[in-house]
Amino acid sequence: MIRTIPVHIDRFTLLSTGHVNAVDVWTELPDGRRQPTGAQATDDETGDLLWTVDCLAADQDRGEVVSVQVRARHMPVLEKFAPVTFRDLEVRVSKGRDGNVRLYWSASGAEPARAGMTPRPTPGSDQAKAA
């Protein structure tokens, strides 16, 4: 069963790794293998290019990297280790081809966090203990 869950970005902090990559269009070969075509994927509704923004989930006891797929006419430019604001962030929960549960993150856009916005303190940090 596939579920899509909206995510409220004000509940946890995602930090940009500074890595943004074009999403490849893939084709399936007759033997069942998949390979990239060399073309960049586009959003079906808007025609905008699709990009993958790699982020660190900073509110975890242990850092976790998540890749958020966003649509934009141009590659988003995000500062390394700076908070990111995503519009319409959601996560789709699904089974992968290998049968394991996968999380697929997506958003309608990405930009540096607003000036003056402070990320939530990480649980266990000195900031969290002071709060």
Side-chain angles (χ1 to χ4, degrees), residues 34-97:
R34 297 178 68 215
Q35 72 178 24
T37 64
Q40 185 171 357
T42 57
D43 182 73
D44 293 336
E45 294 176 19
T46 65
D48 289 342
L49 298 171
L50 294 178
W51 306 90
T52 299
V53 177
D54 291 338
C55 296
L56 297 170
D59 292 344
Q60 307 288 328
D61 288 337
R62 184 183 92 184
E64 181 178 340
V65 176
V66 296
S67 295
V68 181
Q69 185 172 294
V70 299
R71 60 183 188 240
R73 295 201 183 279
H74 304 283
M75 183 173 80
V77 178
L78 302 165
E79 186 178 336
K80 191 173 186 176
F81 302 124
V84 180
T85 299
F86 288 101
R87 289 186 305 280
D88 306 318
L89 182 65
E90 62 185 22
V91 63
R92 183 172 50 91
V93 182
S94 167
K95 277 191 177 179
R97 287 181 166 209

Side-chain angles (χ1 to χ4, degrees), residues 12-25:
F12 69 103
T13 303
L14 289 175
L15 302 175
S16 170
T17 65
H19 294 276
V20 178
N21 297 303
V23 174
D24 290 323
V25 174

Side-chain angles (χ1 to χ4, degrees), residues 113-130:
R114 295 182 305 277
M117 179 182 163
T118 55
R120 266 186 62 199
T122 303
S125 69
D126 292 336
Q127 288 178 319
K129 291 175 187 170

